[in-house]
Amino acid sequence: MKELRICHLYGNLMNTYGDIGNILVMEYYCKKMGITTTYDLISLEDDFDPNAYDFVLFGGGQDYEQSVIAKDLQTKKAPLTTYIENGGALLAVCGGYQLLGQYYVTADGTKIDGIGALSHYTRSQAENEDRLIGNVKIYNDDFKEEYIGFENHGGRTYLGDDEKPLGKILEGNGNNGTDGGEGVIYKNTFGTYFHGPILARNENLAVRMINIAMKQRYGAEYTEIPFEDVK
Ligand code: GLN
């Protein structure tokens, strides 16, 4: 039987709006697809082993939680970068998404270093700007899929040249409210501002991520299972 080893990164601290729901959805679909799952919470002072997992969830957090994990995150920079560069499947939400990039400047102007595994950066909300809050709808051209979600962030994220957005904005604000993109895809790492949780509202994306993770782990030995067959 195939197995999906799940790592919930800082799951006890970075879990705004119940981002853990994404893991429950992954477990639900894995069961339907005949895949067993294991779950590890990796948090402050724990080692992250880049070879020990097939899927990583890095949830969202407000500025306070982000500052709590900031220092510890730097100790995991090398193994997390290795995991991402090797094509490991990862979903990062909001505050987690911001910290995979170069840096995030909080509402009070404090700069929190990210791990720089991805090239985006996030500036703080300016005094004359509002938080970006509300429902969002996006379209991904490569997958020909629409995704919906709910965003609530002050930070404005700008993607690097080697990054693609998770989707084009049809409704809502997304990364920065101006360039028409929401979230990121880099290799098999997906980032998004969607809380909600994103995978509960976009089950096709959950099955896509399971297929990606299984292909990565088992190669040609794994045959992709289309969403239509498991929904
Ligand atoms: N604190 C960050 C911001 O406001 C992230 C918020 C979140 O994860 N919801 O931009």
Side-chain angles (χ1 to χ4, degrees):
M1 200 158 178
K2 304 265 188 284
E3 177 195 50
L4 181 91
R5 298 162 302 170
I6 298 170
C7 167
H8 196 184
L9 197 59
Y10 302 110
N12 53 342
L13 291 160
M14 301 285 282
N15 192 30
T16 304
Y17 299 115
D19 293 333
I20 194 172
N22 291 310
I23 289 178
L24 303 181
V25 175
M26 292 292 272
E27 288 171 345
Y28 172 80
Y29 275 102
C30 277
K31 206 165 170 191
K32 283 189 144 193
M33 293 159 83
I35 299 163
T36 59
T37 53
T38 62
Y39 173 90
D40 268 357
L41 171 65
I42 295 290
S43 193
L44 302 177
E45 291 176 19
D46 296 331
D47 287 330
F48 173 78
D49 175 354
N51 300 312
Y53 301 107
D54 309 304
F55 175 71
V56 175
L57 175 73
F58 189 6
Q62 298 308 326
D63 290 8
Y64 175 71
E65 288 85 15
Q66 288 176 285
S67 65
V68 171
I69 67 157
K71 203 166 144 221
D72 186 85
L73 184 63
Q74 293 307 318
T75 69
K76 298 177 175 57
K77 175 179 166 147
L80 273 171
T81 305
T82 302
Y83 178 84
I84 290 169
E85 278 304 305
N86 287 348
L90 188 151
L91 175 65
V93 181
C94 207
Y97 162 38
Q98 294 172 342
L99 295 180
L100 290 182
Q102 299 183 53
Y103 60 83
Y104 165 56
V105 183
T106 66
D108 70 7
T110 310
K111 185 175 175 190
I112 301 181
D113 283 331
I115 59 168
L118 272 62
S119 55
H120 58 267
Y121 66 91
T122 306
R123 69 167 173 85
S124 65
Q125 166 188 352
E127 259 174 45
N128 61 346
E129 291 174 330
D130 291 324
R131 280 183 78 79
L132 303 176
I133 306 173
N135 291 317
V136 194
K137 194 193 276 184
I138 62 174
Y139 184 73
N140 182 301
D141 266 327
D142 296 326
F143 307 153
K144 307 268 175 277
E145 284 177 343
E146 211 171 270
Y147 303 124
I148 54 166
F150 178 81
E151 64 181 335
N152 180 359
H153 54 110
R156 268 64 172 174
T157 298
Y158 298 89
L159 300 187
D161 291 341
D162 59 351
E163 296 181 301
K164 272 186 156 186
L166 174 61
K168 277 194 311 217
I169 295 279
L170 301 176
E171 258 175 66
N173 296 290
N175 285 335
N176 50 53
T178 51
D179 71 9
E182 139 55 35
V184 72
I185 300 182
Y186 172 75
K187 297 197 170 189
N188 291 327
T189 289
F190 290 56
T192 182
Y193 273 113
F194 290 2
H195 290 281
I198 177 171
L199 298 184
R201 301 186 73 186
N202 304 280
E203 296 151 286
N204 44 357
L205 187 58
V207 173
R208 179 176 295 283
M209 294 224 72
I210 294 169
N211 278 321
I212 288 172
M214 291 293 89
K215 262 262 154 324
Q216 183 66 17
R217 166 101 179 256
Y218 296 103
E221 232 185 274
Y222 178 75
T223 314
E224 240 175 75
I225 305 175
F227 176 60
E228 296 307 311
D229 293 0
V230 278
K231 72 177 184 190

